[in-house]
Structures are given as structure tokens and as C-alpha cells.
Amino acid sequence: DGGITQSPKYLFRKEGQNVTLSCEQNLNHDAMYWYRQDPGQGLRLIYYSQIVNDFQKGDIAEGYSVSREKKESFPLTVTSAQKNPTAFYLCASSIYGGNWSPYEQFFGPGTRLTVL
Amino acid sequence: SQQGEEDPQALSIQEGENATMNCSYKTSINNLQWYRQNSGRGLVHLILIRSNEREKHSGRLRVTLDTSKKSSSLLITASRAADTASYFCATDSPPSVLQGAQKLVFGQGTRLTINP
């Protein structure tokens, strides 16, 4: 049963704490992405990774960190430097379709993070 | 930065009617994609249209693209209660500097409600 899993589904954090959100895929996709979604809003790109051991900042990377040690895994750490971390976090992956070849992104079910 | 803007922000129709959502964007694109999101869930890819295409169909979905007006529309025919969701357009713009990942920019979405 292929797909993307995210855990936990709900996460509560106290101010000043770092938390790590898990994202795993068994689709054999090269590229992985992290997005943030605020209520009633679209998705904003936090970080993306094209290949193992490589990742790039997206539009709102401040206060977040990632790693890509394995092809299947792309965890996101929300650090205490992120001033407003309460949001819905979505992980996605896609194949590498070659230069200029468009392809869809597959999304996980999301993690809802609440800062207490 | 958000490139796509959906219109209307919310749409409520009766089951069986057609639903039309529009997306406008600001810069030239490689392709445009539509995604659906059920409440509290991840996104599901619906359809991708390349910049050199004008119309695509998939089941009850019809997407049009007018690059001269920088706009796209999503038509859902014979709507069903299960179509109730938020719908997002996402654009991929040149230059596609990423070799293995696709940097999509999402709009804020249209919330569609189908009334039985």
C-alpha cells in the first residue's frame, strides 16, 4: 500500500520547545516538500529536497530545519525561533520527471501543530 | 509569495448543478495544476494542464487555460455531495531552476459546498 505518512496527526508544543514532524514515503520519489497551511489559506513552501543529502529553503524557511538522510524520510523540525508555529503542516513528494517535465505532487494527511 | 488567486472564495450550490471556479495568476507558467482538499486532510491532485494546452477533461472535471489572460477555470459537472471540499490551483513558473523538484505556488482556494 504505497503512499505518504505523517505523524503525529496532532501535536501540542509549549513555547520554547523544538518539535519534529515525521514524513515517510514508500513511493520511491526523489523529491519531497514541506508546506505550511494557515486557516482559510493556501499552502506556503517551507523546504524542499530534490535528492538525498540535499535540501533548499522555500518561501518561509525561518524558524524551521530539515534533514534528508534517507530517500524515504524528510523530517521537519519546528524550532523555538519560529514565532507563530500553530498551523497545519503538509508533506508531499513527487517523481523526478526530467527537465521541464511536469508532474503531480502526492500529499500526506498532515500534522496539526498547536502551541500552548 | 502567492501567484494564484481563486474566485470565488466560497461557492454553495445544489447537488446536480455545475460548479465553476476560476484561478488567475501573475507571471508566465510552465503548467497549472488543480488540487482538492477535504476538511482537515491532505491535498489530492485532480488535473494538470501544460502551458501549451487549452483544455483538458477528466471524468466530470473540465479545466481550461487562457495564457493570454493568465487565467484558468475548473468546471465540475453534475455535482455530488462528495465534491464538497476546497479546491486549489497551483502554478509552476519558469525558469524551472530545480532539476529534480517542482516549486509550486498555491492560491488561497475556493471552498465548495454541495447542498443535498
Side-chain angles (χ1 to χ4, degrees):
Chain A
D1 191 19
I4 302 179
T5 57
Q6 291 185 241
S7 62
K9 187 173 182 179
Y10 299 96
L11 185 57
F12 298 90
R13 188 194 94 172
K14 294 181 180 180
E15 285 193 26
Q17 284 183 335
N18 292 355
V19 290
T20 298
L21 283 59
S22 168
C23 178
E24 304 276 334
Q25 54 99 0
N26 61 3
L27 300 168
N28 199 33
H29 287 171
D30 289 299
M32 297 187 74
Y33 314 79
W34 273 106
Y35 294 92
R36 169 181 171 139
Q37 185 178 31
D38 292 287
Q41 301 296 311
L43 280 63
R44 292 184 290 169
L45 183 65
I46 305 173
Y47 267 97
Y48 57 91
S49 170
Q50 304 171 54
I51 198 168
V52 174
N53 293 323
D54 180 72
F55 48 83
Q56 306 294 329
K57 292 182 179 180
D59 298 321
I60 55 166
E62 185 176 352
Y64 300 98
S65 66
V66 294
S67 63
R68 187 84 187 278
E69 298 176 0
K70 299 187 298 181
K71 187 176 184 178
E72 302 79 19
S73 178
F74 191 40
L76 173 74
T77 296
V78 184
T79 74
S80 57
Q82 170 51 235
K83 297 306 177 188
N84 185 23
T86 294
F88 189 51
Y89 291 88
L90 288 159
C91 178
S93 69
S94 66
I95 64 169
Y96 170 46
N99 289 352
W100 309 110
S101 179
Y103 33 82
E104 65 185 281
Q105 293 186 10
F106 291 79
F107 284 80
T111 292
R112 189 167 300 281
L113 173 64
T114 303
V115 173
L116 302 174
Chain B
S1 61
Q2 290 198 312
Q3 149 113 291
E5 291 188 4
E6 282 93 340
D7 173 59
Q9 291 190 349
L11 179 62
S12 181
I13 61 174
Q14 295 299 119
E15 194 168 18
E17 294 180 340
N18 295 344
T20 299
M21 289 157 272
N22 302 296
C23 170
S24 60
Y25 56 91
K26 298 171 185 170
T27 63
S28 60
I29 60 172
N30 289 324
N31 65 83
L32 185 145
Q33 303 181 33
W34 285 90
Y35 288 81
R36 184 188 74 226
Q37 183 181 34
N38 290 87
S39 181
R41 302 287 188 89
L43 276 69
V44 174
H45 181 263
L46 295 176
I47 201 162
L48 181 154
I49 187 165
R50 297 174 185 246
S51 59
N52 61 354
E53 297 175 314
R54 292 297 167 256
E55 187 171 311
K56 285 192 81 170
H57 296 254
S58 177
R60 293 183 296 112
L61 306 181
R62 182 173 78 99
V63 168
T64 61
L65 179 65
D66 187 336
T67 53
S68 66
K69 295 181 179 179
K70 292 186 171 59
S71 67
S72 173
S73 67
L74 170 66
L75 169 67
I76 303 174
T77 60
S79 63
R80 305 167 182 170
D83 294 328
T84 294
S86 291
Y87 292 82
F88 295 90
C89 67
T91 54
D92 172 34
S93 300
S96 190
V97 297
L98 311 178
Q99 293 293 314
Q102 188 177 47
K103 190 175 177 184
L104 294 178
V105 178
F106 286 81
Q108 293 185 329
T110 292
R111 293 191 312 278
L112 175 64
T113 303
I114 308 299
N115 301 304

